[in-house]
Amino acid sequence: MDRGRGGEGHDLSGQPRSRALELDARDGLSDARSRFAIADDRLVYLDGNSLGRLPLATVGRVRKVVEEQWGVDLISSFEREWVALPVRAGELIAGSMLGAAAGQTVVADSTTNCLYRLSSAALHARPGRRVIVTDTENFPTDRYVLEGVAAAAGGEIRWIESDPVEGPSLDQLAAALADDVALVSLSHVGYKSAAIVDARSATDMTHRAGALMLLDCCHSVGSVPIALDEWGVDMAVGCTYKYLCGGPGSPAFLYVRSALHDELDPPVWGWWARAEMFEMGPLFVRAKGMPGFLGGTPSMLGLAAAEEGARLVAGYGIEAVRQKGIALTQYAIELFDELLEPLGFALGSPRDPARRGAHVAFCHADGKRLVFELAAAGVVCDFRMPDVIRAGMSPLTTRFVDVYDGVAALASLAERR
Ligand SMILES: *Cc1c(COP(=O)(O)O)cnc(C)c1O
């Protein structure tokens, strides 16, 4: 297979490739790429929002966990290192990119699992209210978990039919809120469109209606600054394997506003959530604070990798990462206007950079086939139903020239049809 050709060498009308190279030369974050394992420098990887690249530091860190902590120190590594990891990794993410004071965040289980525990706890914390509000464009696992939690409580989902490009609006949220709503759960950045929800206003409205807010930050953590404390968000979750580059299946973070620690009672009463877990007492007594929101033994390999990836992003600073994300997506949209729109593509993301995360959606009726053909041409992005070609721009590893080559390849494939 001829990899990484993209649009290399072809200057397309009005948009010289040299401009992308100039943008890369001026990029203050351009050295970050050298801190990742890049097997094929010509591969145009626009899928870091599904699986972030491998940081070099993670290779050494995971080797250490395997060879020294597991291989040599065996079970003593639990006390020496591993028991502290969920809280330590949580605090790193909380302080550097969630806008969350200490004592409210842990990293331990998948986003799906964390969503279940928190949404279920929220419903039980609002007795008499049986409705969960979410939107039709929310990520599948979020929709399904919330459906299941509502069904188990004899409740229901009140769906916001959100705009596929702009995401759920505050007016739609206002119309869905009533005194039967226990919980509102929204994604901070939409997984398809990258639309950003005004989480502060949405949380205010939710609170005025007497409900709780659960914010999914999978597509914002590590790409868009988050201010959970300031916005008054009650609960949040977010992946570490996307923009935090924690590796496949690395565990998610879970945040609970401290005022709610004693009020929420997640349904999984695991031993890691018990006060004095190593006393192994006869009955469950929830630990105070965030340890009380843990479940069972987390994957320490995944946790260590998640911590390493988060450390790398935190080192560059979320504001710098955000600025690069805006510049990359702005450039992608410029190229879209010039090269893709004339070929019948539609933009599936908000044009206002303040309302857009770090990926861009290009819509095309032949999207699925085009994504397949792009892969054969060395350009990796992904397809999302019904017609979305999703180009993810990881600020630490994606170059402007990747954006150029990716869009140019897409244009020439579409032109050929
Ligand atoms: C990626 C993603 C998930 C993934 O959940 P897992 O439990 O890790 O499979 C969930 N929600 C959103 C919004 C996502 O973007």
Side-chain angles (χ1 to χ4, degrees), residues 110-112 139 141-142 187 191 216 218-219 239 241-242:
S110 70
T111 296
T112 301
F139 190 86
T141 213
D142 299 58
S187 281
Y191 81 105
D216 187 324
C218 280
H219 271 84
C239 284
Y241 53 78
K242 292 171 178 167

Side-chain angles (χ1 to χ4, degrees), residues 28 72 93 119 145 176 252 254 311 345 351 379 384 396:
V72 178
I93 296 171
S119 56
V145 164
L254 174 167
R311 201 197 313 275
F345 286 83
R351 280 190 176 268
V379 178
R384 291 291 179 262
L396 296 185

Side-chain angles (χ1 to χ4, degrees), residues 78-102:
F78 266 102
E79 250 186 281
R80 214 176 283 171
E81 170 86 5
W82 296 337
V83 167
L85 259 189
V87 168
R88 197 175 80 196
E91 298 301 12
L92 168 65
I93 296 171
S96 59
M97 49 198 112
L98 298 182

Side-chain angles (χ1 to χ4, degrees), residues 217-261:
C217 301
C218 280
H219 271 84
S220 55
V221 65
S223 68
V224 174
I226 301 166
L228 294 176
D229 286 353
E230 197 187 314
W231 299 339
V233 170
D234 298 299
M235 298 156 289
V237 296
C239 284
T240 61
Y241 53 78
K242 292 171 178 167
Y243 293 102
L244 294 186
C245 304
S250 63
F253 79 80
L254 174 167
Y255 161 97
V256 181
R257 188 159 64 85
S258 50
L260 289 171
H261 286 186

Side-chain angles (χ1 to χ4, degrees), residues 46 48-50 135 137-139 162-168 186-199 215-221 223-225 242-243 322 325-326 328-330 332-333 346-363 382 384-385 388-395:
L46 301 176
N49 57 332
S50 277
D135 76 295
E137 292 292 317
N138 205 348
F139 190 86
S162 48
D163 183 90
V165 178
E166 298 297 330
L186 300 172
S187 281
H188 184 209
V189 169
Y191 81 105
K192 270 195 282 190
S193 67
I196 294 180
V197 157
D198 176 353
L215 193 66
D216 187 324
C217 301
C218 280
H219 271 84
S220 55
V221 65
S223 68
V224 174
K242 292 171 178 167
Y243 293 102
R322 171 61 172 154
I326 288 176
L328 286 165
T329 52
Q330 240 1 48
I333 290 175
L347 187 63
S349 297
R351 280 190 176 268
D352 176 1
R355 293 224 52 242
R356 186 179 68 234
H359 68 271
V360 174
F362 305 126
C363 304
D382 55 24
R384 291 291 179 262
M385 294 293 280
V388 171
I389 298 169
R390 205 175 60 155
M393 283 142 226
S394 298

